[in-house]
Amino acid sequence: QKEVEQDPGPLSVPEGAIVSLNCTYSNSAFQYFMWYRQYSRKGPELLMYTYSSGNKEDGRFTAQVDKSSKYISLFIRDSQPSDSATYLCAMRLPNTGNQFYFGTGTSLTVIP
Amino acid sequence: EADIYQTPRYLVIGTGKKITLECSQTMGHDKMYWYQQDPGMELHLIHYSYGVNSTEKGDLSSESTVSRIRTEHFPLTLESARPSHTSQYLCASSPQGEGRRSSYNSPLHFGNGTRLTVT
């Protein structure tokens, strides 16, 4: 069983839609959760970084962590064509320098 | 935006050649990493470093080697490239947080990657 599961998509939505991207995980010890956006031929860019459960908002993006369900989400409001990219979830164990676990990424296309 | 640079961006090379993928960061981050990324797969850790003269192998078995002689520089070398090495290689770094323990809990910042093709 993979540590982190992420639906690869592809996901296609019209401009202005609300997008929900999700990951599930199996290790209850994860405490730090990240979302990365990766454009084609680029490296992953950090979008959101959250600790433990709860919500975090940054502009049109909201990251949500539900540790009881081992489920994290990224919501994109008023989606734009520039949001078209692959979104990677990642998580890490506390106080370890190298223990990052990644999802396989969800491909998102926002149609104008 | 993180200041982490990888060169070359694209490399096509024949089997058996020795190659070095360069990675530099200007942020003074103590931790640096090399990941391999293939389509539809999660990122796999190849090597990491906690600081100068500190290097460790990651989860993915690799025939590559790394060095960390300077804080800002973390090159990856393949002594003899093979077609199985064809992949995207991502370099990342992690900042020093406030306090000793919090430095372990910082996120990764990635470069734009080197796309390696071995023919």
Side-chain angles (χ1 to χ4, degrees), chain A residues 7 10 18 34 36 43-44 56-57 62 64 66 69-70 72-75 80 85 88 90 95-97 100 110 112:
Chain A
D7 187 337
I18 296 174
M34 291 144 277
Y36 289 88
K56 182 177 180 179
E57 189 173 317
T62 299
Q64 192 173 80
D66 183 348
S69 302
K70 297 179 189 170
I72 68 170
S73 300
L74 178 71
F75 297 96
Q80 303 294 309
L88 300 166
N95 302 320
T96 61
F100 289 88
V110 180

Short mmCIF file of all heavy atoms in Angstrom, two decimals, chain A residues 7 10 18 34 36 43-44 56-57 62 64 66 69-70 72-75 80 85 88 90 95-97 100 110 112:
data_model
loop_
_atom_site.label_atom_id
_atom_site.label_comp_id
_atom_site.label_asym_id
_atom_site.label_seq_id
_atom_site.Cartn_x
_atom_site.Cartn_y
_atom_site.Cartn_z
N ASP A 7 -5.54 10.80 -6.81
CA ASP A 7 -6.17 10.52 -8.09
C ASP A 7 -5.45 11.28 -9.20
O ASP A 7 -5.34 12.51 -9.12
CB ASP A 7 -7.65 10.95 -8.06
CG ASP A 7 -8.42 10.52 -9.30
OD1 ASP A 7 -7.78 10.28 -10.35
OD2 ASP A 7 -9.65 10.42 -9.23
N PRO A 10 -7.01 12.82 -15.62
CA PRO A 10 -6.99 14.27 -15.62
C PRO A 10 -8.33 14.89 -15.26
O PRO A 10 -9.37 14.27 -15.43
CB PRO A 10 -6.60 14.60 -17.06
CG PRO A 10 -7.12 13.45 -17.85
CD PRO A 10 -7.00 12.24 -16.97
N ILE A 18 -15.02 25.98 -9.09
CA ILE A 18 -14.29 25.63 -7.87
C ILE A 18 -13.72 24.23 -8.08
O ILE A 18 -14.43 23.30 -8.44
CB ILE A 18 -15.22 25.64 -6.65
CG1 ILE A 18 -15.75 27.06 -6.39
CG2 ILE A 18 -14.47 25.14 -5.40
CD1 ILE A 18 -16.79 27.14 -5.29
N MET A 34 1.79 19.50 2.43
CA MET A 34 2.14 20.47 1.41
C MET A 34 1.38 20.21 0.13
O MET A 34 1.05 19.06 -0.20
CB MET A 34 3.64 20.37 1.09
CG MET A 34 4.55 20.85 2.22
SD MET A 34 6.07 19.87 2.34
CE MET A 34 5.50 18.47 3.30
N TYR A 36 1.95 21.27 -3.95
CA TYR A 36 2.83 21.86 -4.95
C TYR A 36 2.08 21.94 -6.28
O TYR A 36 1.28 21.09 -6.63
CB TYR A 36 4.08 21.00 -5.15
CG TYR A 36 5.05 21.04 -4.00
CD1 TYR A 36 4.93 20.16 -2.93
CD2 TYR A 36 6.11 21.95 -3.98
CE1 TYR A 36 5.83 20.19 -1.86
CE2 TYR A 36 7.01 21.99 -2.93
CZ TYR A 36 6.85 21.11 -1.87
OH TYR A 36 7.75 21.14 -0.83
N GLY A 43 9.82 22.74 -12.36
CA GLY A 43 9.85 22.03 -11.10
C GLY A 43 8.63 22.34 -10.27
O GLY A 43 7.91 23.31 -10.52
N PRO A 44 8.35 21.51 -9.26
CA PRO A 44 7.22 21.79 -8.36
C PRO A 44 7.42 23.11 -7.60
O PRO A 44 8.51 23.37 -7.11
CB PRO A 44 7.23 20.59 -7.42
CG PRO A 44 7.98 19.52 -8.14
CD PRO A 44 9.01 20.23 -8.94
N LYS A 56 -6.25 26.35 5.88
CA LYS A 56 -5.36 27.48 5.65
C LYS A 56 -5.72 28.09 4.31
O LYS A 56 -5.87 27.37 3.33
CB LYS A 56 -3.89 27.04 5.64
CG LYS A 56 -2.91 28.19 5.46
CD LYS A 56 -1.49 27.68 5.54
CE LYS A 56 -0.49 28.82 5.37
NZ LYS A 56 0.91 28.31 5.48
N GLU A 57 -5.88 29.40 4.30
CA GLU A 57 -6.31 30.08 3.08
C GLU A 57 -5.22 31.03 2.61
O GLU A 57 -4.56 31.72 3.40
CB GLU A 57 -7.60 30.86 3.36
CG GLU A 57 -8.27 31.43 2.14
CD GLU A 57 -9.62 32.05 2.47
OE1 GLU A 57 -10.39 31.44 3.24
OE2 GLU A 57 -9.90 33.15 1.97
N THR A 62 -7.31 27.23 -0.79
CA THR A 62 -7.55 26.81 0.59
C THR A 62 -7.08 25.37 0.74
O THR A 62 -7.47 24.50 -0.03
CB THR A 62 -9.05 26.89 0.96
OG1 THR A 62 -9.49 28.24 0.84
CG2 THR A 62 -9.27 26.41 2.39
N GLN A 64 -6.96 22.10 3.24
CA GLN A 64 -7.74 21.54 4.35
C GLN A 64 -7.13 20.21 4.75
O GLN A 64 -6.80 19.39 3.89
CB GLN A 64 -9.18 21.34 3.88
CG GLN A 64 -10.19 21.03 4.95
CD GLN A 64 -11.60 21.03 4.36
OE1 GLN A 64 -12.02 20.06 3.75
NE2 GLN A 64 -12.31 22.12 4.56
N ASP A 66 -7.75 16.90 7.33
CA ASP A 66 -8.60 16.16 8.25
C ASP A 66 -7.81 14.93 8.71
O ASP A 66 -7.80 13.90 8.05
CB ASP A 66 -9.90 15.74 7.55
CG ASP A 66 -10.86 15.01 8.48
OD1 ASP A 66 -10.44 14.63 9.61
OD2 ASP A 66 -12.02 14.82 8.11
N SER A 69 -9.61 11.51 9.33
CA SER A 69 -9.93 10.73 8.13
C SER A 69 -8.71 10.46 7.27
O SER A 69 -8.81 9.78 6.25
CB SER A 69 -10.98 11.46 7.30
OG SER A 69 -12.15 11.68 8.04
N LYS A 70 -7.56 11.04 7.65
CA LYS A 70 -6.32 10.92 6.87
C LYS A 70 -6.57 11.38 5.44
O LYS A 70 -6.32 10.65 4.46
CB LYS A 70 -5.79 9.48 6.91
CG LYS A 70 -5.41 9.03 8.31
CD LYS A 70 -4.92 7.59 8.28
CE LYS A 70 -4.76 7.06 9.70
NZ LYS A 70 -4.50 5.62 9.72
N ILE A 72 -6.49 15.01 2.88
CA ILE A 72 -6.20 16.42 2.70
C ILE A 72 -6.78 16.89 1.37
O ILE A 72 -6.90 16.10 0.43
CB ILE A 72 -4.69 16.75 2.78
CG1 ILE A 72 -3.92 16.15 1.60
CG2 ILE A 72 -4.11 16.24 4.10
CD1 ILE A 72 -2.47 16.64 1.53
N SER A 73 -7.11 18.17 1.33
CA SER A 73 -7.72 18.73 0.12
C SER A 73 -7.11 20.08 -0.20
O SER A 73 -6.65 20.79 0.70
CB SER A 73 -9.24 18.93 0.33
OG SER A 73 -9.87 17.71 0.59
N LEU A 74 -7.13 20.41 -1.46
CA LEU A 74 -6.79 21.75 -1.93
C LEU A 74 -7.97 22.24 -2.76
O LEU A 74 -8.37 21.59 -3.71
CB LEU A 74 -5.52 21.74 -2.79
CG LEU A 74 -5.12 23.10 -3.36
CD1 LEU A 74 -4.62 24.01 -2.26
CD2 LEU A 74 -4.06 22.95 -4.46
N PHE A 75 -8.51 23.38 -2.37
CA PHE A 75 -9.61 24.00 -3.10
C PHE A 75 -9.08 25.22 -3.85
O PHE A 75 -8.34 26.03 -3.28
CB PHE A 75 -10.74 24.41 -2.16
CG PHE A 75 -11.37 23.26 -1.44
CD1 PHE A 75 -10.96 22.92 -0.16
CD2 PHE A 75 -12.36 22.49 -2.05
CE1 PHE A 75 -11.53 21.85 0.51
CE2 PHE A 75 -12.92 21.41 -1.38
CZ PHE A 75 -12.51 21.09 -0.11
N GLN A 80 -8.67 29.70 -12.96
CA GLN A 80 -8.21 30.41 -14.14
C GLN A 80 -7.42 29.47 -15.05
O GLN A 80 -6.85 28.49 -14.58
CB GLN A 80 -7.30 31.57 -13.71
CG GLN A 80 -7.94 32.56 -12.75
CD GLN A 80 -9.09 33.30 -13.42
OE1 GLN A 80 -8.94 33.85 -14.51
NE2 GLN A 80 -10.25 33.31 -12.77
N ALA A 85 -2.21 22.86 -14.55
CA ALA A 85 -0.92 22.33 -14.11
C ALA A 85 -1.17 20.97 -13.46
O ALA A 85 -2.31 20.52 -13.36
CB ALA A 85 -0.26 23.27 -13.10
N LEU A 88 0.66 18.36 -6.89
CA LEU A 88 1.22 17.28 -6.08
C LEU A 88 0.93 17.54 -4.62
O LEU A 88 1.16 18.65 -4.13
CB LEU A 88 2.74 17.21 -6.26
CG LEU A 88 3.31 16.95 -7.65
CD1 LEU A 88 4.80 17.26 -7.67
CD2 LEU A 88 3.08 15.52 -8.04
N ALA A 90 2.03 16.44 -0.73
CA ALA A 90 3.20 15.87 -0.07
C ALA A 90 3.01 15.99 1.43
O ALA A 90 2.28 16.87 1.90
CB ALA A 90 4.48 16.59 -0.51
N ASN A 95 10.17 16.14 12.59
CA ASN A 95 11.55 16.04 13.09
C ASN A 95 12.39 14.99 12.37
O ASN A 95 13.21 14.31 12.98
CB ASN A 95 11.55 15.78 14.60
CG ASN A 95 10.83 16.87 15.34
OD1 ASN A 95 10.95 18.05 15.01
ND2 ASN A 95 10.05 16.50 16.33
N THR A 96 12.13 14.87 11.08
CA THR A 96 12.99 14.04 10.24
C THR A 96 13.43 14.90 9.07
O THR A 96 12.63 15.65 8.52
CB THR A 96 12.26 12.79 9.70
OG1 THR A 96 11.16 13.20 8.90
CG2 THR A 96 11.79 11.91 10.84
N GLY A 97 14.69 14.79 8.70
CA GLY A 97 15.19 15.69 7.67
C GLY A 97 14.83 15.29 6.27
O GLY A 97 14.81 16.11 5.37
N PHE A 100 9.95 12.80 3.29
CA PHE A 100 8.85 13.40 2.55
C PHE A 100 8.19 12.32 1.71
O PHE A 100 8.86 11.49 1.11
CB PHE A 100 9.37 14.49 1.61
CG PHE A 100 9.85 15.73 2.30
CD1 PHE A 100 11.16 15.83 2.73
CD2 PHE A 100 9.00 16.80 2.50
CE1 PHE A 100 11.62 16.98 3.37
CE2 PHE A 100 9.44 17.96 3.14
CZ PHE A 100 10.75 18.04 3.57
N VAL A 110 -7.92 23.99 -16.90
CA VAL A 110 -9.02 24.94 -16.77
C VAL A 110 -9.28 25.53 -18.15
O VAL A 110 -8.41 26.16 -18.76
CB VAL A 110 -8.67 26.07 -15.77
CG1 VAL A 110 -9.84 27.05 -15.66
CG2 VAL A 110 -8.32 25.48 -14.41
N PRO A 112 -10.86 27.97 -20.87
CA PRO A 112 -11.38 29.35 -20.92
C PRO A 112 -12.82 29.38 -21.43
O PRO A 112 -13.22 28.54 -22.24
CB PRO A 112 -10.44 30.06 -21.89
CG PRO A 112 -9.27 29.17 -22.06
CD PRO A 112 -9.71 27.77 -21.74
#
